[in-house]
Amino acid sequence: MAVRSTKPCKMMLPKEGVDMAKWAVVACDQYTSEPEYWKEVNEFVGDAPSTVRITLPEIYLEGDDVAERTEKINAEMIRYEKEGILEELPSGMILLDRETGRVCGRKGLMMAFDLEEYDYHLGSTSLIRPTEKTVEERIPPRLAVRKNASMELPHIMLLIDDPDRTVIEPIYEKRNDFKKVYDVELMQKGGHLTGWFIPEGEVTDKIQAALDKLADRETFNKKYNLDKDYPIVHYATGDGNHSMATAKANWERIKEGLSEEEKKTHPARFVLAEVVNIHDESLEIEAIYRVLFGADPSDVIAAAKDFFGKNGGSVEEGEVAGGQVFKWTAGNKKGAFTVMNSKWAMEVATLQNFLDDYLSTRKNIKIDYIHGLDSLAQLSEQDGNMGFYLPDPAKADLFRGVIIDGVLPRKTFSMGEAQEKRFYMEARKIVK
């Protein structure tokens, strides 16, 4: 393969003596409607070094003090590096194992990905591609946080489709050949995280060669039973696409002032991410649920009947065979409605297209996207909230869907529940 999208890189980890249980914090886009979670995190961390001090939980993203929070984050990044709280490793990769209480732990590899090989816009044919529609309006506030940051702490998970387990699994079998760099029980029921450092060299070369084989044209066409040469998808974003899109937007901003030689090696051209095999036994593709804030169920259902009637379908209240069923709960009320003859094949596309239309004329109603049944139930029980359940997407359809149909509706799926999301651990410099 002529183009290589990955490379080993220099990562930073806390120095010996830092309490890793307080250092590692869940991805910033989790628990966005649960301030009590973040209150507990801050109380647990106290004054200890922690990634909660150098990332911005998105529950605060639209607050009046976001600029002040961002300045503190940038200053704390500089302090952590200057005072040696973070130490830079030699160039390499990190193999990790994340145990979350499932049958087995999730295996992944941390490495750098070339943002020149990623495009989040609709119609993208890049090697690294989003699985879901990128909401570009979400980028500017995140870019405001990143543009003055000296380092990145990613929660991005990129998927490979490796049914024969040729990339990550053989390395995991040899994990004891490598130095263990962290081994920590994570806060807030996050499970256990272990990492092994793989120095740049013969092993990382073999990893990249195995990754390259997945994008071989003949192998690619045979795997997906393609009758023509669709643009190859080498990596698909599983989690953190808006974080990756923000990194891309930041790179596009920076590279305007660089020479062609400078563009080749500038650290902001690359983004740190975890690559995971979609066939990993621990990986469960789960639905992301929807909650409306300030909605009246009778108004929602009436609007649904009107919307789908205009789009060639119909709505019947209750669960009806032969249609797409949407269960809902609002306070002490529960119900369901069925969309017949939907023009969209996936339930999530049917619901999201309706909700987009509904919210466009009801500016006082807000929406949030919820990971986990417990969080959905808790929020839906509150007065004025209405939650929607969705079925889990089929794992086998994800790559083929992106290849043939393009991006899926935004917030189509999740890799596990909220507490299973990536916890921030590694950092990487993005300035020279």
Side-chain angles (χ1 to χ4, degrees):
M1 185 177 173
V3 177
R4 175 164 280 178
S5 308
T6 64
K7 70 170 189 173
C9 63
K10 293 182 178 180
M11 289 174 263
M12 294 186 287
L13 286 174
K15 67 180 180 181
E16 187 175 351
V18 170
D19 187 342
M20 298 295 254
K22 294 183 177 181
W23 171 260
V25 175
V26 77
C28 66
D29 60 348
Q30 300 304 303
Y31 302 101
T32 52
S33 297
E34 300 175 59
E36 63 277 7
Y37 179 92
W38 294 104
K39 181 176 183 289
E40 290 171 5
V41 169
N42 280 286
E43 289 174 350
F44 174 70
V45 167
D47 295 328
S50 175
T51 55
V52 78
R53 305 288 176 239
I54 51 176
T55 56
L56 182 63
E58 293 191 2
I59 194 169
Y60 308 126
L61 198 59
E62 297 181 4
D64 294 337
D65 62 346
V66 66
E68 181 182 349
R69 286 180 181 273
T70 300
E71 286 182 12
K72 288 181 179 179
I73 288 167
N74 292 337
E76 201 74 344
M77 285 179 173
I78 293 170
R79 184 177 77 84
Y80 280 8
E81 188 175 358
K82 188 174 292 186
E83 295 181 4
I85 293 170
L86 278 169
E87 298 178 334
E88 191 169 69
L89 302 174
S91 182
M93 300 178 182
I94 291 179
L95 169 72
L96 59 88
D97 182 17
R98 172 74 180 282
E99 296 180 4
T100 59
R102 296 191 184 271
V103 175
C104 60
R106 185 182 74 229
K107 285 79 176 171
L109 280 167
M110 296 296 296
M111 64 187 75
F113 290 80
D114 188 352
L115 289 166
E116 287 291 317
E117 301 304 327
Y118 165 73
D119 181 5
Y120 57 81
H121 295 97
L122 287 174
S124 167
T125 58
S126 54
L127 289 172
I128 308 172
R129 212 174 302 172
T131 48
E132 301 174 345
K133 180 182 178 182
T134 304
V135 184
E136 294 191 39
E137 294 79 7
R138 295 181 62 188
I139 296 175
R142 291 158 178 78
L143 184 58
V145 177
R146 190 179 181 93
K147 69 179 182 180
N148 293 318
S150 61
M151 63 182 72
E152 64 174 359
L153 292 99
H155 61 266
I156 301 163
M157 186 189 297
L158 294 178
L159 301 172
I160 53 173
D161 189 359
D162 184 20
D164 296 327
R165 296 167 170 77
T166 62
V167 179
I168 299 172
E169 291 78 2
I171 300 300
Y172 183 76
E173 291 301 315
K174 298 179 180 179
R175 61 192 179 280
N176 293 327
D177 293 347
F178 310 113
K179 180 182 178 181
K180 188 181 291 185
V181 287
Y182 50 76
D183 190 354
V184 56
E185 193 72 17
L186 300 170
M187 67 172 75
Q188 301 287 82
K189 301 179 181 179
H192 198 92
L193 181 64
T194 310
W196 298 264
F197 177 69
I198 306 172
E200 182 173 4
E202 182 179 353
V203 176
T204 60
D205 286 346
K206 288 181 178 178
I207 290 170
Q208 289 188 274
L211 286 169
D212 291 348
K213 287 183 181 179
L214 298 179
D216 172 76
R217 168 55 71 183
E218 184 177 350
T219 302
F220 185 81
N221 286 5
K222 183 178 179 181
K223 182 191 297 183
Y224 300 110
N225 193 26
L226 302 176
D227 56 5
K228 63 178 182 179
D229 285 352
Y230 287 89
I232 288 173
V233 180
H234 199 175
Y235 305 93
T237 53
D239 271 333
N241 182 61
H242 284 89
S243 178
M244 191 152 181
T246 301
K248 173 72 169 183
N250 190 51
W251 167 237
E252 293 295 325
R253 179 185 65 85
I254 289 171
K255 76 177 185 179
E256 290 181 0
L258 302 179
S259 68
E260 290 304 313
E261 282 302 309
E262 289 172 327
K263 289 177 185 177
K264 293 178 182 178
T265 58
H266 196 285
R269 172 173 172 160
F270 300 87
V271 66
L272 187 61
E274 176 186 355
V275 62
V276 175
N277 185 5
I278 196 171
H279 299 281
D280 189 290
E281 289 85 351
S282 73
L283 205 61
E284 294 189 8
I285 309 297
E286 297 176 344
I288 297 178
Y289 310 112
R290 274 74 172 149
V291 173
L292 297 179
F293 297 83
D296 178 355
S298 61
D299 180 60
V300 173
I301 294 170
K305 290 178 178 179
D306 180 62
F307 174 80
F308 290 109
K310 292 177 179 177
N311 282 275
S314 63
V315 170
E316 298 186 30
E317 295 192 43
E319 300 182 43
V320 180
Q324 294 179 349
V325 176
F326 298 95
K327 296 181 180 180
W328 58 267
T329 179
N332 59 3
K333 298 179 181 178
K334 296 183 186 298
F337 62 85
T338 302
V339 178
M340 308 300 295
N341 301 314
S342 173
K343 63 190 288 187
W344 295 280
M346 295 180 67
E347 285 90 343
V348 65
T350 297
L351 181 62
Q352 190 62 50
N353 277 281
F354 160 61
L355 292 177
D356 286 345
D357 180 79
Y358 180 76
L359 293 169
S360 70
T361 59
R362 292 163 175 82
K363 302 300 183 183
N364 60 319
I365 298 176
K366 304 298 181 184
I367 189 171
D368 200 2
Y369 300 89
I370 305 301
H371 303 266
L373 288 170
D374 290 344
S375 294
L376 177 68
Q378 182 181 9
L379 288 169
S380 300
E381 288 172 357
Q382 298 174 19
D383 288 343
N385 295 355
M386 182 179 184
F388 295 91
Y389 297 84
L390 283 163
D392 294 336
K395 180 186 287 191
D397 292 342
L398 193 148
F399 267 76
R400 184 174 172 83
V402 172
I403 293 164
I404 296 174
D405 297 329
V407 295
L408 306 172
R410 69 179 183 277
K411 299 292 185 180
T412 292
F413 67 92
S414 172
M415 300 296 178
E417 298 196 1
Q419 72 272 17
E420 299 177 73
K421 296 298 178 179
R422 269 198 56 84
F423 270 57
Y424 296 114
M425 176 60 77
E426 304 86 355
R428 188 184 71 92
K429 294 180 185 178
I430 55 173
V431 296
K432 283 200 166 183

